[in-house]
Amino acid sequence: MTQPMPRFAPAPLSVALLACLAAPAWAQDARHAEPKDLDAVVVRATPLPQTAEDLARPVEVLTGQRLDEARASSLGETVARLPGTQSSYFGPGVGRPIIRGFDGARVQVLNDGLASGDVSTVSVDHAVSIEPFLANQIEVLKGPATLLYGSGAIGGAVNVVDGRIPEAPTTEPLEGRAELRAGSVADERTGMVRLDGTNAAGNLVFHFDALHRETGDYDIPGYAEHQHADGDEDHDEDHDDHHDEEQVYGTLPGSALRTDAGALGVSWVGERGFLGVGYSLFNTRYGVPGHAHEAHGHDEDDHEDEDEHGHEEPAEDGVHIVMDQRRTELRGGLDQLGGFETLRVKLAHNEYTHTEYEGEEIGTVFDNDSIEGRLELVHQPLAGWDGAFGLQFSRRDFSAVGEEAFVPDSKSRDTGIFWIGERSFGALDLELGARYDQARIDPDFASATAPDRDFDTTSLSAAGRWHLGEEVHLSFGLDRAQRAPTAEELYSDGLHVATRSWEFGDAQLDPETANRAELGLHWHHGPLRLGAAIYHVRYADFIYLADTGVVDDDAPARVWNQADARFTGGELDLQWTFLENHTGAWDLRAFGDIVRGRLDGDGTREVSFSVPHGDHTHDYTSEIALSGNLPRIAPARLGGELRWQSASGNWRGGLGAVRYASQDDVAEYEEETAGYTLVHANLAWHRDTPGGNAWEVFVDGGNLLDREARPHTSFLKELAPLPGRNVSAGLRLFF
């Protein structure tokens, strides 16, 4: 079966962008106020209105200028320079947040409190259906967030706030922002616009946003495939003449990307509440690097397949993905409702289709139809406790048809109830919470080897802040969280094309239980801010994908297994305004993080599995060690950044570097990864106009030393390095 590759015409979005850039000055003041203190920003991921400074739980917030400077094509890359947070990597279109070594089904990605509704946890080549360029604020909750968002957040959560359904009138009748940018490493072209407005009566508020991005295959500083020449992990150019001429060099085929996103929302806002509805789409097409290297030479100027805009099309024999999501949301809020201070209701329905092409042939089609609802009731003080009750439910119908349908069709149902409360005892602020969930997974064609499964999970949490003075406080956290297995962990059975491996689930897996203890310090003395944390997590029945050592048809066989495990880590973040005079304000920031993940069991476990080959199978038995290092654990990092803002406030800039340590604490059959250093910089000129609008010209640079970088967290690290030197520039307009 063949089907032509869909093409996305950027004309409508381009017209909208140009119209916005030519718009008259409706507003009376600029819309780009940078929060002086990110800790003072209200965090929306929790039902109780608290700032990052007030929360007893560890949280990081990106907004304003810091978010503008961090925005990238994937959510994982956008938050990757926050302490304790890194990114997975499967090409520029796919990057999921990794929090303190946890990723995939342990990190929940949220769209203002509701799940994104994609299938990014099913496979590492599946993208997150949230566009960072359209976000107002991004919140990273470190440590278990199961209390608020269920078992999928046992490792943390990332909440993207985009304001697509307005909850309050705008300051002016019409306000918004737009951005145009171009990048060098992949010939990037990105444009976005957002508009928010209110009618004359002040009770009808609307929102509109749109984005178009397209890039070609990106440049790399050397060979695509990792060269293990003479055991030298630095890959010096001295060895280049020893490489096979057929190896891909200079440009990575299969790394092109095109994305369209947009939304329209409208709300009625009254004195005591609001009711709004929104509709959004996310449509992306991206290549999967590493699947067509043998078909390309190493001539960087050989671009045989280009569209009319000069961007490379995926090669006919390459693997590429077309993903489409349509999302409908209903949100409402009511204040002063009997014995409750506020009521918030959120409901989202997602229609998601993900098609994987091998050339023009359809390989696999994933469909995910889901609905999720959430109700939050903030009650008036009870026995001195401020708190909130919550109810959450979700329904998911998942299907996969084609070559990569290694997970059977299934229906998943989850329902959870929770309570969270806080109270001050003098210098001690205490937060307690509890949650109970019921989950059910029904695979199609249930059988003795793939039965229906029901799970009950319970999470308990205690966190506190002890104020030793106005400038310093200690924090602590104690959690007991549980996670139910996912359908792919239970029922996988076949070839996983994206990772080039055979993958086998275990339908008898039990819920995993995590017990966490954390101790933190926060010190703020004049221009100096210091934050530090150490944590330890012990898992009972930790679920992980174990390599068996068996290789069949050049593909390793892996099985989902359970064993006890432990994670230990720490973070440090230092910010110092060391000079403030007529030259402006000069800030120095340094951060570091480290995590170690190990299995904590004894002995080995015998596993048996069968690899299908047409009308027959190959049967295997293997021993899996229940101790040792866990695979793909994020390496330690050390980063620094010098920031400057002129006394007038018109200029700002920064120069920084992040050193990723080598990772040699690897699992059995896993390759070690060399360390690397990434240097970045930014410069912007901001100008307020007499009419109250503002515009900004910016230049950003990434990997300025053009180093080869292979993330240890990536399944593609041996085949696809990160992009080389990139310089992007553009214009932002605020009105």
Side-chain angles (χ1 to χ4, degrees), residues 115-184:
S116 57
D118 53 46
V119 295
S120 60
T121 62
V122 173
S123 177
V124 291
D125 64 324
H126 296 181
V128 174
S129 60
I130 293 180
E131 176 50 58
F133 271 77
L134 297 174
N136 293 337
Q137 181 172 310
I138 299 177
E139 305 159 354
V140 179
L141 280 69
K142 298 183 288 189
T146 51
L147 187 68
L148 296 171
Y149 296 106
S151 66
I154 196 170
V158 178
N159 187 43
V160 180
V161 181
D162 52 29
R164 285 178 159 177
I165 297 181
E167 298 184 9
T170 57
T171 305
E172 299 295 334
L174 186 65
E175 57 192 43
R177 60 176 289 165
E179 180 174 326
L180 294 172
R181 73 162 57 202
S184 64

Coordinates of all heavy atoms in Angstrom, one line a residue, residues 115-184:
A115 N -3.3 15.8 30.7 CA -2.3 15.1 29.9 C -2.3 15.5 28.5 O -3.4 16.0 27.9 CB -2.6 13.6 30.0
S116 N -1.2 15.4 27.8 CA -1.0 15.9 26.4 C -1.8 15.1 25.5 O -2.2 15.5 24.4 CB 0.5 15.9 26.0 OG 1.0 14.6 26.2
G117 N -2.1 13.8 25.8 CA -3.0 13.0 25.0 C -2.3 12.3 23.8 O -3.0 11.8 22.9
D118 N -1.0 12.3 23.8 CA -0.2 11.7 22.7 C 0.2 10.3 23.1 O -0.2 9.8 24.1 CB 1.0 12.5 22.3 CG 1.9 12.9 23.5 OD1 2.1 12.0 24.3 OD2 2.2 14.0 23.6
V119 N 1.0 9.6 22.3 CA 1.6 8.3 22.7 C 3.1 8.3 22.8 O 3.8 7.4 22.4 CB 1.1 7.2 21.6 CG1 -0.4 7.1 21.7 CG2 1.6 7.6 20.2
S120 N 3.6 9.4 23.3 CA 5.0 9.6 23.4 C 5.7 8.6 24.4 O 6.9 8.4 24.4 CB 5.4 11.0 23.8 OG 4.8 11.4 25.0
T121 N 4.9 8.0 25.3 CA 5.4 7.0 26.2 C 5.5 5.6 25.6 O 6.1 4.7 26.2 CB 4.6 7.0 27.5 OG1 3.3 6.6 27.2 CG2 4.6 8.3 28.2
V122 N 4.8 5.4 24.5 CA 4.8 4.1 23.9 C 6.1 3.7 23.2 O 6.6 2.6 23.3 CB 3.6 4.0 22.9 CG1 3.6 2.7 22.1 CG2 2.3 4.1 23.6
S123 N 6.7 4.7 22.6 CA 8.0 4.5 21.9 C 8.8 5.7 21.9 O 8.3 6.9 21.9 CB 7.7 4.1 20.4 OG 8.9 3.9 19.7
V124 N 10.1 5.5 21.9 CA 11.1 6.7 22.0 C 11.1 7.5 20.8 O 11.7 8.6 20.8 CB 12.5 6.2 22.4 CG1 12.5 5.6 23.8 CG2 12.9 5.2 21.4
D125 N 10.5 7.1 19.7 CA 10.5 7.9 18.5 C 9.2 8.7 18.3 O 9.0 9.4 17.3 CB 10.8 7.0 17.2 CG 9.6 6.0 17.0 OD1 9.1 5.5 18.0 OD2 9.3 5.8 15.8
H126 N 8.4 8.7 19.3 CA 7.1 9.4 19.3 C 7.2 10.8 19.9 O 7.7 10.9 21.1 CB 6.0 8.6 19.9 CG 5.7 7.3 19.2 ND1 4.7 6.4 19.7 CD2 6.2 6.7 18.1 CE1 4.7 5.4 18.9 NE2 5.6 5.5 17.9
A127 N 6.8 11.8 19.2 CA 7.0 13.2 19.7 C 5.9 13.5 20.7 O 4.8 13.0 20.7 CB 6.9 14.2 18.6
V128 N 6.2 14.5 21.6 CA 5.2 15.1 22.5 C 4.4 16.2 21.6 O 4.9 17.0 20.9 CB 5.9 15.8 23.6 CG1 4.9 16.6 24.5 CG2 6.6 14.8 24.5
S129 N 3.1 16.1 21.8 CA 2.2 17.0 21.0 C 2.0 18.4 21.6 O 0.8 18.9 21.6 CB 0.9 16.3 20.7 OG 0.2 16.0 22.0
I130 N 3.0 19.0 22.2 CA 2.9 20.3 22.8 C 4.0 21.1 22.2 O 5.2 20.7 22.1 CB 3.1 20.2 24.3 CG1 1.9 19.5 24.9 CG2 3.2 21.6 24.9 CD1 1.9 19.4 26.4
E131 N 3.7 22.3 21.7 CA 4.6 23.2 21.1 C 5.2 24.3 22.1 O 4.4 25.1 22.5 CB 3.9 24.0 19.9 CG 4.7 25.0 19.2 CD 6.1 24.4 18.8 OE1 6.2 23.5 18.1 OE2 7.1 25.0 19.2
P132 N 6.5 24.2 22.4 CA 7.0 25.1 23.4 C 7.0 26.6 23.0 O 6.9 27.5 23.8 CB 8.5 24.6 23.5 CG 8.5 23.2 23.0 CD 7.4 23.2 21.9
F133 N 7.0 26.9 21.7 CA 7.0 28.3 21.2 C 5.7 29.0 21.5 O 5.6 30.2 21.5 CB 7.3 28.3 19.7 CG 8.7 28.4 19.4 CD1 9.5 27.3 19.5 CD2 9.3 29.6 19.0 CE1 10.9 27.4 19.2 CE2 10.7 29.7 18.8 CZ 11.5 28.6 18.8
L134 N 4.6 28.2 21.8 CA 3.3 28.8 22.1 C 3.0 28.9 23.6 O 1.9 29.2 24.0 CB 2.2 28.1 21.4 CG 2.3 28.1 19.9 CD1 1.3 27.2 19.3 CD2 2.2 29.5 19.3
A135 N 4.0 28.5 24.5 CA 3.8 28.5 25.9 C 4.0 29.8 26.5 O 4.9 30.6 26.1 CB 4.8 27.5 26.5
N136 N 3.2 30.1 27.6 CA 3.4 31.3 28.4 C 4.4 31.0 29.6 O 5.2 31.8 30.0 CB 2.1 31.8 29.0 CG 1.2 32.3 28.0 OD1 1.5 32.8 26.9 ND2 -0.1 32.3 28.4
Q137 N 4.3 29.8 30.0 CA 5.1 29.4 31.2 C 5.2 27.9 31.2 O 4.3 27.1 30.8 CB 4.3 29.8 32.5 CG 4.9 29.5 33.8 CD 4.1 30.2 34.9 OE1 3.8 31.4 34.9 NE2 3.7 29.4 35.9
I138 N 6.4 27.4 31.6 CA 6.6 25.9 31.7 C 7.1 25.6 33.2 O 8.1 26.3 33.6 CB 7.7 25.5 30.7 CG1 7.2 25.7 29.3 CG2 8.0 24.0 30.9 CD1 8.2 25.4 28.2
E139 N 6.5 24.7 33.8 CA 6.8 24.3 35.2 C 7.3 22.9 35.2 O 6.6 22.0 34.6 CB 5.5 24.5 36.0 CG 4.9 25.8 36.0 CD 3.4 25.9 36.4 OE1 2.8 24.8 36.6 OE2 2.8 27.0 36.4
V140 N 8.4 22.7 35.9 CA 8.9 21.3 36.1 C 8.8 20.9 37.5 O 9.5 21.6 38.4 CB 10.4 21.3 35.6 CG1 11.0 19.9 35.8 CG2 10.5 21.7 34.1
L141 N 8.0 19.9 37.8 CA 7.8 19.4 39.2 C 8.8 18.2 39.4 O 8.6 17.2 38.7 CB 6.4 19.0 39.5 CG 5.4 20.1 39.8 CD1 5.1 21.0 38.6 CD2 4.1 19.5 40.3
K142 N 9.8 18.4 40.2 CA 10.8 17.4 40.4 C 10.4 16.5 41.6 O 9.9 17.0 42.6 CB 12.2 18.0 40.6 CG 12.6 18.8 39.4 CD 14.0 19.4 39.5 CE 14.1 20.5 40.5 NZ 15.4 21.2 40.4
G143 N 10.6 15.2 41.5 CA 10.2 14.3 42.6 C 8.8 13.9 42.2 O 8.1 14.3 41.2
P144 N 8.2 12.9 42.9 CA 6.9 12.3 42.6 C 5.8 13.3 42.5 O 5.7 14.1 43.5 CB 6.7 11.3 43.7 CG 8.0 10.9 44.2 CD 8.8 12.2 44.1
A145 N 5.1 13.4 41.5 CA 3.9 14.2 41.3 C 2.6 13.4 41.2 O 1.6 13.8 40.8 CB 4.0 15.2 40.1
T146 N 2.7 12.1 41.7 CA 1.6 11.2 41.7 C 0.4 11.7 42.5 O -0.7 11.4 42.1 CB 2.0 9.8 42.2 OG1 2.6 10.0 43.5 CG2 3.0 9.1 41.2
L147 N 0.7 12.4 43.5 CA -0.3 13.0 44.4 C -1.3 13.8 43.6 O -2.5 13.7 43.8 CB 0.3 13.8 45.5 CG -0.6 14.3 46.6 CD1 -1.1 13.2 47.4 CD2 0.1 15.4 47.4
L148 N -0.8 14.6 42.6 CA -1.7 15.4 41.8 C -2.1 14.8 40.5 O -3.2 15.1 40.0 CB -1.0 16.8 41.5 CG -0.6 17.6 42.8 CD1 0.2 18.8 42.3 CD2 -1.9 18.2 43.4
Y149 N -1.2 14.0 39.9 CA -1.5 13.6 38.5 C -1.4 12.1 38.3 O -1.3 11.7 37.1 CB -0.5 14.3 37.6 CG -0.7 15.8 37.6 CD1 0.1 16.7 38.3 CD2 -1.9 16.3 37.0 CE1 -0.1 18.0 38.3 CE2 -2.1 17.7 37.1 CZ -1.3 18.5 37.7 OH -1.5 19.9 37.8
G150 N -1.4 11.3 39.3 CA -1.5 9.9 39.1 C -0.2 9.2 38.9 O 0.9 9.8 38.9
S151 N -0.2 7.9 38.6 CA 1.0 7.0 38.6 C 1.9 7.4 37.4 O 3.1 7.1 37.5 CB 0.6 5.6 38.5 OG 0.0 5.3 37.2
G152 N 1.4 8.0 36.4 CA 2.3 8.4 35.3 C 3.3 9.5 35.6 O 4.1 9.9 34.8
A153 N 3.1 10.1 36.8 CA 4.0 11.2 37.3 C 4.9 10.8 38.5 O 5.3 11.6 39.3 CB 3.2 12.4 37.6
I154 N 5.2 9.5 38.6 CA 5.9 9.0 39.7 C 7.4 9.6 39.7 O 8.0 9.7 40.8 CB 6.0 7.5 39.7 CG1 6.4 6.9 41.1 CG2 6.8 6.9 38.6 CD1 6.2 5.4 41.3
G155 N 7.9 10.0 38.6 CA 9.2 10.6 38.5 C 9.2 12.1 38.4 O 10.2 12.7 38.4
G156 N 8.0 12.7 38.2 CA 7.9 14.1 38.1 C 6.9 14.5 37.0 O 6.3 13.6 36.4
A157 N 6.7 15.8 36.7 CA 5.8 16.3 35.8 C 6.3 17.6 35.2 O 7.0 18.4 35.8 CB 4.4 16.5 36.4
V158 N 5.9 17.8 33.9 CA 6.2 19.1 33.2 C 4.9 19.6 32.8 O 4.2 19.0 32.0 CB 7.2 18.9 32.0 CG1 7.4 20.2 31.3 CG2 8.5 18.3 32.5
N159 N 4.5 20.8 33.3 CA 3.3 21.5 33.0 C 3.5 22.7 32.1 O 4.2 23.6 32.5 CB 2.6 21.9 34.3 CG 1.2 22.4 34.1 OD1 0.4 21.8 33.3 ND2 0.8 23.5 34.8
V160 N 2.9 22.6 30.9 CA 3.0 23.7 30.0 C 1.7 24.6 30.0 O 0.6 24.1 29.7 CB 3.3 23.2 28.5 CG1 3.4 24.4 27.6 CG2 4.5 22.3 28.5
V161 N 1.9 25.8 30.3 CA 0.7 26.8 30.5 C 0.7 27.6 29.2 O 1.7 28.4 29.0 CB 0.8 27.6 31.7 CG1 -0.4 28.5 31.8 CG2 1.0 26.7 33.0
D162 N -0.4 27.5 28.4 CA -0.4 28.3 27.2 C -1.6 29.3 27.1 O -1.6 30.1 26.2 CB -0.5 27.4 26.0 CG -1.6 26.3 26.1 OD1 -2.6 26.6 26.8 OD2 -1.5 25.2 25.5
G163 N -2.5 29.3 28.1 CA -3.6 30.3 28.1 C -4.5 30.2 26.9 O -5.1 31.2 26.6
R164 N -4.7 29.0 26.4 CA -5.5 28.9 25.2 C -7.0 29.0 25.5 O -7.8 29.3 24.6 CB -5.2 27.6 24.5 CG -3.9 27.6 23.7 CD -3.6 26.3 23.1 NE -2.7 26.5 22.0 CZ -2.1 25.5 21.3 NH1 -2.5 24.2 21.5 NH2 -1.3 25.7 20.3
I165 N -7.4 28.8 26.7 CA -8.7 29.1 27.2 C -8.6 30.2 28.2 O -8.2 29.9 29.4 CB -9.4 27.8 27.7 CG1 -9.6 26.8 26.6 CG2 -10.8 28.2 28.3 CD1 -10.3 25.5 27.1
P166 N -9.0 31.4 27.9 CA -8.8 32.5 28.8 C -9.7 32.4 30.1 O -10.8 31.8 30.1 CB -9.3 33.8 28.0 CG -9.3 33.3 26.6 CD -9.6 31.9 26.6
E167 N -9.1 32.8 31.2 CA -9.8 32.8 32.5 C -10.1 34.2 33.1 O -10.7 34.3 34.1 CB -9.0 32.0 33.5 CG -8.8 30.5 33.1 CD -8.0 29.7 34.1 OE1 -7.8 30.2 35.2 OE2 -7.7 28.5 33.8
A168 N -9.5 35.2 32.4 CA -9.8 36.6 32.9 C -9.6 37.5 31.7 O -9.0 37.2 30.7 CB -8.7 37.0 33.9
P169 N -10.3 38.7 31.7 CA -10.2 39.6 30.6 C -8.7 40.1 30.4 O -7.9 40.1 31.3 CB -11.1 40.8 31.1 CG -11.9 40.3 32.1 CD -11.1 39.2 32.8
T170 N -8.4 40.5 29.2 CA -7.1 41.1 28.9 C -7.0 42.5 29.4 O -8.0 43.1 29.6 CB -6.9 41.0 27.4 OG1 -7.9 41.8 26.7 CG2 -6.8 39.6 26.9
T171 N -5.8 43.0 29.5 CA -5.6 44.4 30.0 C -6.1 45.4 29.0 O -6.7 46.4 29.3 CB -4.1 44.6 30.3 OG1 -3.6 43.6 31.2 CG2 -3.9 46.0 30.9
E172 N -5.9 45.1 27.7 CA -6.3 45.9 26.6 C -7.3 45.2 25.7 O -7.4 44.0 25.8 CB -5.1 46.4 25.8 CG -4.1 47.2 26.6 CD -4.6 48.5 27.1 OE1 -5.5 49.0 26.4 OE2 -4.1 49.0 28.1
P173 N -8.0 45.9 24.8 CA -9.0 45.2 23.9 C -8.3 44.2 23.1 O -8.9 43.1 22.8 CB -9.6 46.4 23.1 CG -9.4 47.6 24.0 CD -8.2 47.4 24.8
L174 N -7.1 44.4 22.6 CA -6.4 43.4 21.8 C -4.9 43.5 22.2 O -4.3 44.6 22.2 CB -6.6 43.7 20.3 CG -6.0 42.6 19.4 CD1 -6.7 41.2 19.6 CD2 -6.1 43.0 18.0
E175 N -4.3 42.4 22.4 CA -2.8 42.3 22.7 C -2.3 41.0 22.2 O -3.0 40.1 22.0 CB -2.6 42.5 24.2 CG -3.3 41.5 25.1 CD -3.2 41.9 26.6 OE1 -3.4 43.1 26.9 OE2 -3.0 41.0 27.4
G176 N -1.0 41.0 22.1 CA -0.4 39.7 21.6 C 1.1 39.8 21.3 O 1.7 40.8 21.8
R177 N 1.6 38.8 20.6 CA 3.0 38.8 20.3 C 3.2 38.0 19.0 O 2.3 37.2 18.7 CB 3.8 38.2 21.4 CG 3.4 36.8 21.8 CD 4.3 36.2 22.9 NE 5.7 35.9 22.3 CZ 6.7 35.7 23.1 NH1 6.6 35.7 24.4 NH2 7.9 35.4 22.6
A178 N 4.3 38.2 18.4 CA 4.6 37.4 17.2 C 6.2 37.3 17.1 O 6.9 38.0 17.7 CB 4.1 38.1 15.9
E179 N 6.6 36.2 16.4 CA 8.0 36.0 16.3 C 8.3 35.4 14.9 O 7.6 34.5 14.5 CB 8.5 35.1 17.4 CG 10.0 34.8 17.4 CD 10.5 34.0 18.6 OE1 10.0 34.2 19.7 OE2 11.4 33.2 18.4
L180 N 9.4 35.8 14.3 CA 10.0 35.2 13.1 C 11.4 34.9 13.4 O 12.1 35.8 13.9 CB 9.8 36.1 11.9 CG 8.4 36.5 11.4 CD1 8.5 37.6 10.4 CD2 7.8 35.2 10.9
R181 N 11.9 33.7 13.1 CA 13.3 33.4 13.3 C 13.8 32.4 12.2 O 13.0 31.8 11.5 CB 13.5 32.7 14.7 CG 13.0 31.3 14.8 CD 13.6 30.6 16.0 NE 13.4 31.3 17.3 CZ 14.2 31.2 18.3 NH1 15.2 30.4 18.3 NH2 13.9 31.9 19.4
A182 N 15.1 32.5 12.0 CA 15.8 31.6 11.1 C 17.0 31.1 11.7 O 17.7 31.8 12.5 CB 16.1 32.4 9.8
G183 N 17.4 29.8 11.4 CA 18.5 29.1 12.0 C 19.4 28.6 10.9 O 19.0 28.2 9.9
S184 N 20.7 28.5 11.2 CA 21.7 28.1 10.2 C 21.9 26.6 10.1 O 22.1 26.0 9.1 CB 23.0 28.8 10.6 OG 23.6 28.3 11.8

